[in-house]
Amino acid sequence: MTKYVFTTGGVVSSVGKGVVCASLGMLLEARGLKIAMMKFDPYINVDPGTMNPFEHGEVFVTDDGAETDLDLGHYQRFTNAVLSRKSNATTGGIYNAVIQKERRGEYLGKTVQVIPHITDEIKSRIRMLTADAEENIDVAIIEVGGTVGDIESLPFLEALRQFRLDIGPPNCCFVHVTLVPYIAAAGELKTKPTQHSVRALRDIGIQPNVIVCRTGSMTMGPDQRKKVAMFCDVTDDAIIGAEDISPLYAIPLNFKKQKLDDTVLRLLNIPAPQGDLSGWEAMVERLKGAKREVRIAAVGKYVNHDDAYKSINEAFVHAGIANDCKVKLQWVDSEQFEKGIEPAEALKDFDGIVVGPGFGTRGIEGKIKAVKYSRENKVPYFGICLGMQMAVIELARHKLGLERAHSTEIDPETPDPVICLLSEQRGIKDLGGTMRLGEYRCELQPGTRAHAAYGADVIGERHRHRYEFNNAYLEPLKEKAGLVVSGTHPKGDHDLVEIIEVKDHPWFCASQFHPEFKSTPLYPQPLFRDFVRASLERSKLTGRG
Ligand code: GLN
């Protein structure tokens, strides 16, 4: 039978509930338990796919093609939980389902209301998460986005309160993650906001069993622990101090020291042997011990949000672990290359260049110039999704002489649409959930860099894009531009080009898919790993490494 951990947030948003859930999941898995993970998001968007990643953070894609909240990326990197479209639900998605049922007449005669109809739908999503799992799930960890006290979170919290009664109180526990701020004038960590937020939770009928206190750079002392325990009616051992910890992957080890897993398992009454964390600990030591540094330029539109490319940033951390080096990823604005600044100048101190995913026209010509610079100067190049499309355009323009070659996304009138919409995308009007999404099979060509990186003939990687390589340009690009197609998705009459490389270059590889979504610290993604390795080689050649 599955038991449940529900995680709520208190005092402010962005307290790191996602990492707390992911860390707990990792600790429970280490003890041999099978876990499932899920997040509820209180916004009205049906999914985050249409939201601006520069405001909301990246959109994380699952194998089955769901566009989900970036916290699922943390779950993926810390645990082996299977993530799917069942792992994320929003207020918009819940209401959408209820309204569709209402239209079909499934509530005939009834007034449809938040309680019980919306709360029932929320509860059914929790049950669906584990309903047809291949193996029995021991613990499902369910995170509620937002902060207790928000109007938007109320139906979710009410549903959890009911769920606890439905399955019997010993079968679930509530973890509340709050901020305990340091007030300099008093020279103290203050527990009052946490007390208030627990009071707000109790008003809804939920008593937290564990409180994780985020304390910034301060460490919580025994007095404050006792105070939170007493005022919030929680046992001392269930107060977990969570100061800022770097690297990120050391966070579960801090929780382990405080026996978070023991406390949760005691509350859920699950006996489990102590786990073996030596593999994880060794990974953290390797990460901390890296001495060499490699500098990578991420060329693109300016981003003011660290989380906009969260999975890419983390995949580079993982690639650093695999190469025993620190990867210094630095943002380089591509628009400057459209205003007279030469890539050779701005990029001269970098060992590798990456052009990542993107939408829209801003900074596009600058990205193409950056590709040209890396190709001609033999600087390792890694293109991800839009970064692959830019590489194809660059080759067509500068090696085939098709000066106006472009993607029809950017220039619908281009005479040489080397990147274009496939017929199945042409009739689509709705923008939500209609891209090419999720995992596709990709066959690799022996003798290529991609094949060497993966060490496999067939792989699966996740997609999120609308436009594709135009096969009408395949032969000329291969014959006259040095293009190598190293990965394709077989599709009968027309295979889709998924990975390209160029000849006579130390490392130039670009994928139409998003390899970052599958990278984890224990299993660094092969293309990221080899790109960083090639960049390290270059740093040695140029005397920087
Ligand atoms: N805008 C491009 C497309 O839709 C690339 C998308 C991406 O980089 N994720 O095909």
Side-chain angles (χ1 to χ4, degrees):
M1 175 197 170
T2 306
K3 304 209 173 182
Y4 293 84
V5 176
F6 297 117
T7 308
T8 52
V11 183
V12 290
S13 60
S14 310
V15 278
K17 292 189 294 292
V19 175
V20 171
C21 292
S23 300
L24 176 61
M26 175 273 195
L27 294 176
L28 297 185
E29 275 188 343
R31 301 185 69 155
L33 299 172
K34 186 85 192 145
I35 64 154
M37 302 203 64
M38 178 177 194
K39 179 161 190 215
F40 284 116
D41 278 304
Y43 47 74
I44 311 284
N45 303 58
V46 171
D47 63 42
T50 54
M51 281 153 88
N52 183 350
F54 297 161
E55 278 167 31
H56 180 74
E58 84 173 2
V59 176
F60 184 81
V61 179
T62 56
D63 277 343
D64 64 346
E67 298 178 282
T68 70
D69 186 79
L70 59 80
D71 274 324
L72 272 75
H74 292 306
Y75 308 164
Q76 164 107 29
R77 292 184 281 273
F78 283 71
T79 76
N80 299 304
V82 176
L83 299 172
S84 72
R85 57 181 67 253
K86 290 196 241 164
S87 320
N88 194 195
T90 69
T91 295
I94 303 277
Y95 271 78
N96 204 15
V98 170
I99 290 168
Q100 282 177 27
K101 282 187 194 164
E102 188 273 336
R103 291 290 84 184
R104 287 198 298 268
E106 287 183 31
Y107 306 115
L108 220 50
K110 298 257 168 35
T111 308
V112 181
Q113 293 179 300
V114 174
I115 303 172
H117 301 101
I118 295 294
T119 46
D120 279 354
E121 181 66 28
I122 296 170
K123 290 194 287 180
S124 83
R125 300 295 177 104
I126 299 174
R127 288 201 195 87
M128 258 156 60
L129 176 68
T130 55
D132 41 44
E134 275 170 23
E135 282 174 86
N136 177 52
I137 302 291
D138 298 303
V139 182
I141 301 173
I142 314 240
E143 176 184 352
V144 181
T147 309
V148 170
D150 293 348
I151 293 175
E152 291 97 327
S153 327
L154 274 176
F156 293 107
L157 298 173
E158 167 60 16
L160 300 189
R161 185 195 68 75
Q162 295 175 16
F163 195 88
R164 171 175 173 271
L165 275 190
D166 293 351
I167 61 161
N171 298 320
C172 70
C173 79
F174 285 87
V175 175
H176 192 50
V177 185
T178 75
L179 179 73
V180 176
Y182 177 74
I183 302 298
E188 261 184 358
L189 285 168
K190 289 293 187 187
T191 63
K192 188 76 82 191
T194 296
Q195 297 173 34
H196 280 293
S197 106
V198 169
R199 186 183 297 162
L201 203 50
R202 283 205 202 121
D203 276 351
I204 304 161
I206 294 172
Q207 165 65 42
N209 307 102
V210 176
I211 301 179
V212 177
C213 302
R214 292 297 314 277
T215 55
S217 57
M218 309 300 285
T219 306
M220 204 155 74
D223 290 351
Q224 280 119 355
R225 260 173 218 271
K226 280 210 156 18
K227 207 164 163 185
V228 177
M230 185 189 69
F231 277 109
C232 301
D233 205 16
V234 168
T235 54
D236 285 6
D237 64 345
I239 305 296
I240 308 291
E243 63 258 36
D244 294 345
I245 287 201
S246 175
L248 175 77
Y249 299 109
I251 290 174
L253 303 176
N254 179 35
F255 291 154
K256 179 74 191 171
K257 255 192 265 157
Q258 300 180 66
K259 301 194 163 80
L260 171 64
D261 52 334
D262 287 336
T263 303
V264 166
L265 293 178
R266 172 175 59 72
L267 287 161
L268 296 177
N269 197 14
I270 301 178
Q274 282 301 329
D276 174 17
L277 292 181
S278 57
W280 192 275
E281 284 164 347
M283 175 272 291
V284 172
E285 284 314 308
R286 214 172 152 186
L287 174 56
K288 285 188 188 159
K291 299 258 175 317
R292 290 178 300 178
E293 186 179 277
V294 64
R295 291 189 66 190
I296 307 284
V299 178
K301 287 196 274 206
Y302 175 70
V303 260
N304 193 9
H305 194 313
D306 270 357
D307 285 344
Y309 292 105
K310 185 75 189 157
S311 294
I312 291 184
N313 294 339
E314 291 306 316
F316 274 118
V317 173
H318 310 155
I321 298 171
N323 287 289
D324 291 306
C325 70
K326 285 202 165 51
V327 179
K328 196 156 176 246
L329 190 66
Q330 201 171 313
W331 203 256
V332 175
D333 177 14
S334 62
E335 276 181 293
Q336 62 180 316
F337 303 146
E338 298 165 8
K339 296 175 186 153
I341 294 176
E342 284 303 318
E345 187 46 38
L347 297 172
K348 67 178 188 309
D349 292 331
F350 291 96
D351 310 310
I353 292 168
V354 58
V355 174
F359 295 84
T361 53
R362 194 151 64 82
I364 283 284
E365 290 301 321
K367 291 182 190 180
I368 297 171
K369 285 191 176 164
V371 179
K372 181 166 188 275
Y373 166 79
S374 38
R375 182 176 58 77
E376 290 180 346
N377 293 280
K378 309 228 181 289
V379 184
Y381 176 78
F382 186 22
I384 303 173
C385 205
L386 184 77
M388 176 231 174
Q389 300 175 351
M390 295 302 109
V392 172
I393 295 167
E394 194 278 320
L395 284 174
R397 286 190 188 177
H398 304 122
K399 295 288 277 185
L400 293 186
L402 306 174
E403 276 165 38
R404 288 184 54 206
H406 223 316
S407 160
T408 52
E409 177 184 13
I410 318 292
D411 178 6
E413 307 302 325
T414 172
D416 291 298
V418 289
I419 303 292
C420 66
L421 282 185
L422 292 186
S423 51
E424 50 260 47
Q425 278 286 340
R426 290 216 175 110
I428 291 176
K429 296 257 173 337
D430 282 357
L431 294 184
T434 56
M435 283 188 258
R436 182 176 172 212
L437 288 167
E439 191 188 67
Y440 283 79
R441 173 189 167 94
C442 174
E443 295 178 354
L444 301 180
Q445 203 55 38
T448 58
R449 294 199 185 284
H451 192 271
Y454 283 97
D457 295 332
V458 179
I459 54 154
E461 292 279 11
R462 298 181 196 164
H463 290 248
R464 183 173 187 258
H465 58 97
R466 227 176 266 290
Y467 294 82
E468 303 277 355
F469 183 98
N470 182 350
N471 281 339
Y473 293 86
L474 186 58
E475 285 314 314
L477 280 166
K478 272 184 174 169
E479 275 158 30
K480 297 196 205 103
L483 177 94
V484 175
V485 173
S486 49
T488 47
H489 172 66
K491 219 168 168 266
D493 51 344
H494 61 290
D495 293 352
L496 295 179
V497 171
E498 306 283 45
I499 316 178
I500 61 152
E501 308 184 6
V502 300
K503 286 194 191 124
D504 305 322
H505 192 286
W507 207 91
F508 189 112
C509 210
S511 67
Q512 185 60 84
F513 50 74
H514 288 255
E516 69 273 21
F517 290 139
K518 283 200 178 176
S519 192
T520 78
L522 294 180
Y523 298 99
Q525 205 285 336
L527 296 178
F528 278 88
R529 182 200 63 210
D530 283 12
F531 168 62
V532 166
R533 185 191 296 148
S535 304
L536 255 185
E537 291 299 319
R538 180 176 161 89
S539 77
K540 285 183 206 148
L541 284 178
T542 53
R544 272 195 294 268

